[in-house]
Amino acid sequence: MTAYRIKGVSLLGAEPADLFVRDGMISGAVADAETVDADGLVALPGLVDLHTHLREPGREDAETVETGSRAAAVGGYTAVCAMANTSPVADTAGVVEQVWRLGREAGLVDVQPIGAVTVGLAGKQLAELGAMATSAAGVRIFSDDGHCVADPRLMRRALEYVKAFDGIIAQHAEEPRLTEGAQMHEGEVSTRLGLTGWPAVAEEAIIARDVLLAEHVGSRLHVCHVSTAGSVEVLRHAKARGVRVTAEVTPHHLLLTDELATSYDPVFKVNPPLRTAADVAALRQALIDGVIDIVATDHAPHAVEDKECEWAYARPGMVGLETALPVVLSVLGEQWELIAERMSRTPARIAGLTGHGTDLAVGTPANLTLVDPSARRVVDPAGLTSRSRNTPYAGTTLPGRIVATFLRGEPTVLDGKAVK
Ligand code: DOR
Ligand code: ZN
């Protein structure tokens, strides 16, 4: 295994120093190491994404475990959690093991499968949570993401079931009766455009219900892609009561608003929908406060025919792995400690991914990313590594370039390009 001397790198904004990597670990000085010039670069612990759609099995035309892993590495990630809404659904030990094995074979990031809560994501019957937990994939997080576990009795039973092994239910909070036919955020813009609205209360009502259920059962709840100011208030209240709840926000909900729907460009269609500027402001503050624990991408690659069509027929979702850190940098500025906390340490801790999200100290696994904060780049969909092109940032200038990523001491990205 090659040893590396990452020369003159700034650890989370500190004074430049050399960082050595040997045998997969951060090490003391090594004499015959290969030099990586890191002048002007910042080192962060490898990013961890709790919410990635890899589309395999079933929609390999949009993404595969391998192409999504490569996009993740290019974005500075060393671990991703793969959502269960594949085809077939990841609701059995067999499917989660398949995804886990494909991730290992690709070897670009650690791929941790998330299991479905209910059979076929149909919301009727609990999936075999125990079998997925004890499988080789070692599933700890369960989610019907894309769908809400709307039945409160089923949600309660899921929370009770995973408590035995300290598992987590990650909820896509959307009261389906309040979002029938919804096309975008319900508000002034939807009224103007005459599109059916997705009201904030459809999210807030489910979060309120679920924090109460989690408190009642004493289980761990994670709330996916929080998108409204009201949800932040519900979470703040729950956390103050000591409820075991964590929450994520996506980069797009931190930056974009429902005004973009006026273009009728389906690249801006996403679920939950883009909200108002007031929601964006509340989400940013909650991320700084810690009421929202982490940034998760909700990387949702879609094939051209599913996105380049009429708004009403387009699938919701945006790719996000390769632009997440630049978007967060544009929102938070160079607050490296906070970025490491929200994009690496805390997601690794929530998902139980040991070896990720650790400080870059001697003797820890060398999972890290090197960023050039002074670089600016115009996002070009054709330049993305993901198999899909549905980025909402085409033509936008974003700060920060991911120069290199190391997974257990091996470079997966060098000079901004995937190594394999
Ligand atoms: O926009 C979304 N896309 N939201 C979801 O909940 C699911 C995701 C997808 O799978 O495309
Ligand atoms: Zn979702």
Side-chain angles (χ1 to χ4, degrees):
M1 232 177 146
T2 314
Y4 293 92
R5 172 192 182 198
I6 303 172
K7 187 167 170 272
V9 74
S10 162
L11 244 181
L12 296 177
E15 282 304 306
D18 290 355
L19 190 66
F20 291 91
V21 170
R22 187 173 64 179
D23 296 332
M25 311 291 261
I26 307 290
S27 81
V30 182
D32 54 352
E34 198 170 299
T35 299
V36 175
D37 181 17
D39 188 28
L41 305 187
V42 173
L44 290 168
L47 306 182
V48 176
D49 192 17
L50 211 71
H51 190 149
T52 311
H53 296 275
L54 292 176
R55 303 298 189 218
E56 188 175 5
R59 284 310 299 263
E60 292 83 352
D61 55 328
E63 197 79 286
T64 66
V65 172
E66 186 185 336
T67 62
S69 292
R70 192 171 291 116
V74 167
Y77 288 86
T78 52
V80 302
C81 297
M83 273 299 172
N85 65 339
T86 50
S87 178
V89 170
D91 59 2
T92 62
V95 178
V96 293
E97 280 185 1
Q98 180 194 1
V99 172
W100 178 74
R101 234 178 255 118
L102 288 166
R104 273 221 317 200
E105 279 163 27
L108 292 155
V109 291
D110 285 343
V111 174
Q112 174 57 56
I114 289 175
V117 178
T118 70
V119 175
L121 310 176
K124 297 284 181 229
Q125 189 190 336
L126 279 191
E128 292 174 11
L129 310 184
M132 289 188 271
T134 54
S135 75
V139 175
R140 285 289 170 280
I141 304 180
F142 298 88
S143 181
D144 274 3
D145 182 60
H147 301 267
C148 183
V149 180
D151 179 340
R153 195 167 68 129
L154 208 52
M155 186 63 182
R156 175 193 175 162
R157 285 185 46 219
L159 286 164
E160 280 169 346
Y161 199 103
V162 300
K163 194 182 170 186
F165 49 88
D166 208 29
I168 299 178
I169 303 295
Q171 176 71 293
H172 169 117
E174 173 182 359
E175 169 47 70
R177 296 282 287 152
L178 292 173
T179 62
E180 277 168 30
Q183 293 294 332
M184 65 172 296
H185 171 64
E186 179 182 296
E188 191 244 307
V189 183
S190 67
T191 307
R192 210 188 321 142
L193 298 180
L195 291 174
T196 306
W198 195 131
V201 68
E203 175 173 304
E204 294 152 7
I206 292 292
I207 299 176
R209 180 199 79 176
D210 287 354
V211 294
L212 293 173
L213 285 173
E215 182 175 32
H216 179 66
V217 176
S219 292
R220 292 170 72 190
L221 169 72
H222 178 76
V223 184
C224 296
H225 40 55
V226 170
S227 70
T228 80
S231 296
V232 169
E233 286 321 303
V234 175
L235 287 165
R236 194 188 306 281
H237 176 75
K239 287 189 164 195
R241 287 172 64 90
V243 179
R244 299 173 79 198
V245 59
T246 53
E248 69 187 38
V249 63
T250 69
H252 47 272
H253 288 110
L254 288 170
L255 191 66
L256 309 177
T257 69
D258 61 343
E259 280 290 345
L260 289 162
T262 56
S263 68
Y264 289 107
D265 184 342
V267 81
F268 300 114
K269 183 172 174 178
V270 65
N271 191 17
L274 299 176
R275 305 287 187 184
T276 68
D279 292 307
V280 168
L283 294 168
R284 289 180 179 193
Q285 192 55 47
L287 186 65
I288 292 166
D289 292 347
V291 171
I292 291 178
D293 302 82
I294 64 169
V295 174
T297 66
D298 195 5
H299 176 78
H302 285 296
V304 172
E305 67 271 22
D306 291 326
K307 268 323 236 186
E308 291 179 14
C309 54
E310 245 181 86
W311 180 283
Y313 300 114
R315 301 249 173 111
M318 319 173 150
V319 294
L321 286 167
E322 297 169 71
T323 47
L325 184 58
V327 169
V328 171
L329 266 174
S330 80
V331 168
L332 293 181
E334 294 183 32
Q335 299 193 61
W336 300 112
E337 262 303 318
L338 184 63
I339 291 171
E341 200 64 31
R342 300 284 182 261
M343 297 186 78
S344 176
R345 295 186 201 124
T346 309
R349 185 170 47 72
I350 293 170
L353 297 172
T354 49
H356 292 275
T358 53
D359 286 330
L360 301 178
V362 173
T364 63
N367 295 317
L368 61 102
T369 188
L370 306 179
V371 187
D372 179 357
S374 65
R376 300 221 154 328
R377 64 166 187 164
V378 180
V379 179
D380 173 11
L384 292 175
T385 302
S386 167
R387 187 163 279 180
S388 291
R389 300 275 171 265
N390 52 304
T391 174
Y393 309 112
T396 305
T397 303
L398 291 174
R401 173 172 175 264
I402 291 93
V403 175
T405 307
F406 287 77
L407 177 65
R408 281 181 287 280
E410 292 282 5
T412 53
V413 173
L414 282 175
D415 203 15
K417 289 181 194 68
V419 170
K420 63 172 183 181

